[in-house]
Amino acid sequence: MPPRLTVIGTGYLGATHAACMAELGYEVLGLDVDEAKIERLHRGEVPFFEPGLPELLARHVESGRLRFTTSYEEAGAFGDVHFICVGTPQKRGEYAADLTYVDASVRSLIPHLQPGALVVGKSTVPAGTAQRLADWIAAEGPAGAELAWNPEFLREGWAVQDTLHPDRLVIGVPHGGRGEAVLREVYAPLLDVEVPLVVTDFATAELVKVAANAFLATKISFINAMAEVCEVTGADVKRLSQALSYDTRIGGRFLHAGLGFGGGCLPKDIRAFMARAGELGVDQALSFLKEVDAINLRRRARMVDLARELAGGSFAGGVRVAVLGAAFKPNSDDVRDSPALDVAVALHQQGAHVCVYDPAANANAQRLHPQLTYSGNAREALQGAHLVLHLTEWREFRDLDPTSISDIVALKRIVDGRNALDKDRWRGAGWVYRALGRP
Ligand code: UGA
């Protein structure tokens, strides 16, 4: 009999993991404490934007292979393997990660576990968490129940693809446990097609995840630091990045200069990593991440300055700014720590009339920042604009024809915050085109 799986927490990570495990052929039960969310998933609806996921979810809800519940009792009775996929947000007013949801989900599950059940942590946690949870399970769980740590590396916007075709699998297990064998069985369809597997201890598995995100954040901030230097030397960071990318030791991915990183992962993960290093007495080892964070936030401030400069030195007096993009990146409706929204809010605070349009994130943005104006499409947002800011590089914005929108704006001025538009085309159509790190 193949193992039966539960997925605890049905956000971006959990809903995707649940649907993908059903796609691999398993019976899956998803659990969340949010009844409204479970109700929607039950009906086969994905409560957020993720390309490819709605089709996958609907197919497996329809077939009956994927079900949802709010009951830990039902989850415990059903599952042989329980994946913990709840969020670990940044604590309010602190750098450290808030482990409330991880702790609560494991605590709630323990009394209902079957003997021999495997609990698998996928949430991003500070090193040391897995051992603490394993101790709880050993002390309070049924005979033979164990913990394994299996970090997740999926990107929003590519979540289904990244789960079904991951670059690697990492499994953290204590010496002599059964977790490795169980997870080898669960992931057999991926291992059969040669997905690399690294089996390690708990602490290494926890660290792989935060180290990967810290490296990606560092790479982005590196090129954005170069952009700062480009701005005072007249150099072009896009060309610089292209030239660096041909060196295969460096590579071109995550080397796109612009408004920098945001979202629910990279910013809070580097901060939580620094906080944990401080607790462990090795804060110096990660002090460079403070600079990575600072470079990243400086890009947002620079964008506001550049926009104000283009607006003639002030936004007062009803300067109309069209903001294209609110999500932290394209193909997502996630506005957590979104650089685009941060800039939009700063401009509003400085007196601009800001009109935002995002193909997927308007509703989430509006909930967070109702003080801004939102448009249902790009043309409406651009109407009468004195300045256009391109802040999230959706394909729809890259495809905008600068000539055909020339007569709906009041002034043909654009700042390309993502270095993703064709500079020559915009300038050729008579626009003042400015970008971060480029002449
Ligand atoms: C990130 C990691 O890429 C995933 O591997 C990881 O699993 C995930 O966090 C997580 O911890 O759950 P994600 O937050 O979905 O994934 O987004 P990314 O694609 O990494 O982009 C993060 C931010 O960096 C975005 O705001 C994006 O616009 C920005 N970025 C990315 C750049 O500014 N430049 C680049 O070259 C690449």
Side-chain angles (χ1 to χ4, degrees):
M1 272 279 280
R4 298 204 298 186
L5 316 181
T6 81
V7 176
I8 316 286
T10 58
Y12 291 96
L13 165 58
T16 308
H17 191 67
C20 288
M21 291 303 105
E23 175 73 3
L24 293 185
Y26 296 104
E27 299 273 321
V28 184
L29 181 64
L31 179 149
D32 204 291
V33 291
D34 181 340
E35 288 188 16
K37 199 188 274 179
I38 287 298
E39 198 40 55
R40 291 186 66 180
L41 290 164
H42 219 42
R43 294 198 298 267
E45 278 174 41
V46 179
F48 49 85
F49 182 91
E50 184 58 51
L53 187 57
E55 296 78 1
L56 200 66
L57 185 98
R59 189 156 77 237
H60 294 300
V61 167
E62 176 96 351
S63 73
R65 212 187 278 163
L66 175 56
R67 294 184 303 111
F68 292 94
T69 184
T70 53
S71 160
Y72 274 99
E73 193 178 348
E74 187 183 350
F78 174 85
D80 304 302
V81 180
H82 304 273
F83 289 98
I84 305 293
C85 295
V86 295
T88 51
Q90 187 174 340
K91 273 188 190 164
R92 204 173 266 278
E94 282 180 53
Y95 269 15
D98 179 354
L99 296 178
T100 309
Y101 306 114
V102 170
D103 289 357
S105 61
V106 174
R107 279 248 179 258
S108 306
L109 189 58
I110 286 176
H112 305 292
L113 286 171
Q114 296 294 311
L118 183 70
V119 179
V120 183
K122 289 190 84 62
S123 307
T124 303
V125 294
T129 307
Q131 190 56 56
R132 185 167 59 76
L133 300 177
D135 292 344
W136 284 358
I137 293 171
E140 298 165 30
E146 282 184 24
L147 181 82
W149 212 259
N150 169 222
E152 179 56 56
F153 304 99
L154 66 79
R155 297 160 296 170
E156 287 177 26
W158 301 89
V160 172
Q161 149 92 13
D162 285 351
T163 307
L164 293 175
H165 307 281
D167 289 340
R168 77 301 213 180
L169 289 167
V170 174
I171 296 176
V173 279
H175 192 66
R178 293 166 28 255
E180 179 186 344
V182 174
L183 283 175
R184 276 184 184 276
E185 185 187 351
V186 170
Y187 289 127
L190 307 182
L191 298 175
D192 286 350
V193 293
E194 318 265 305
V195 171
L197 168 68
V198 180
V199 180
T200 179
D201 52 85
F202 282 152
T204 307
E206 292 167 319
L207 280 173
V208 172
K209 173 58 195 257
V210 282
N213 277 1
F215 190 85
L216 294 171
T218 303
K219 210 172 167 192
I220 298 168
S221 277
F222 174 84
I223 199 65
N224 282 332
M226 296 304 111
E228 289 189 31
V229 180
C230 286
E231 280 158 17
V232 293
T233 53
D236 181 335
V237 75
K238 199 161 171 165
R239 284 267 173 267
L240 174 70
S241 165
Q242 181 193 4
L244 290 175
S245 75
Y246 293 123
D247 185 329
T248 51
R249 294 170 304 174
I250 298 174
R253 295 177 73 187
F254 276 70
L255 210 59
H256 301 291
L259 200 49
F261 58 82
C265 302
L266 262 45
K268 66 105 177 155
D269 285 354
I270 60 168
R271 292 172 196 153
F273 200 11
M274 283 186 271
R276 185 63 183 138
E279 285 167 9
L280 295 168
V282 286
D283 36 340
Q284 272 191 334
L286 297 188
S287 59
F288 71 97
L289 288 179
K290 227 181 175 51
E291 202 48 50
V292 166
D293 202 6
I295 292 165
N296 192 52
L297 295 177
R298 271 207 303 275
R299 290 287 78 187
R300 301 179 192 187
R302 169 72 183 140
M303 171 52 88
V304 173
D305 290 348
L306 192 54
R308 198 173 43 265
E309 184 191 317
L310 237 66
S314 164
F315 294 115
V319 172
R320 295 180 68 88
V321 182
V323 167
L324 300 180
F328 82 104
K329 68 172 189 180
N331 296 319
S332 170
D333 65 354
D334 196 343
V335 296
R336 285 176 293 173
D337 204 346
S338 166
L341 259 190
D342 245 20
V343 168
V345 168
L347 263 54
H348 172 82
Q349 281 165 350
Q350 294 186 22
H353 178 272
V354 179
C355 191
V356 178
Y357 166 65
D358 188 285
N362 266 15
N364 284 344
Q366 189 154 22
R367 220 168 292 131
L368 212 59
H369 295 294
Q371 73 275 30
L372 306 177
T373 305
Y374 294 88
S375 289
N377 59 65
R379 289 187 78 85
E380 193 184 304
L382 293 165
Q383 198 75 44
H386 301 107
L387 176 63
V388 180
L389 302 185
H390 173 237
L391 303 184
T392 312
E393 69 277 33
W394 285 89
R395 182 162 199 119
E396 180 182 334
F397 302 147
R398 297 203 310 267
D399 289 347
L400 274 177
D401 175 10
T403 305
S404 80
I405 57 168
S406 284
D407 48 356
I408 56 175
V409 293
L411 290 171
K412 294 198 281 180
R413 298 167 175 167
I414 186 162
V415 186
D416 181 4
R418 291 296 179 178
N419 283 318
L421 304 176
D422 183 340
K423 177 171 82 170
D424 297 337
R425 191 159 167 243
W426 284 77
R427 286 191 178 150
W431 284 70
V432 173
Y433 170 97
R434 297 287 297 274
L436 296 173
R438 304 180 78 191

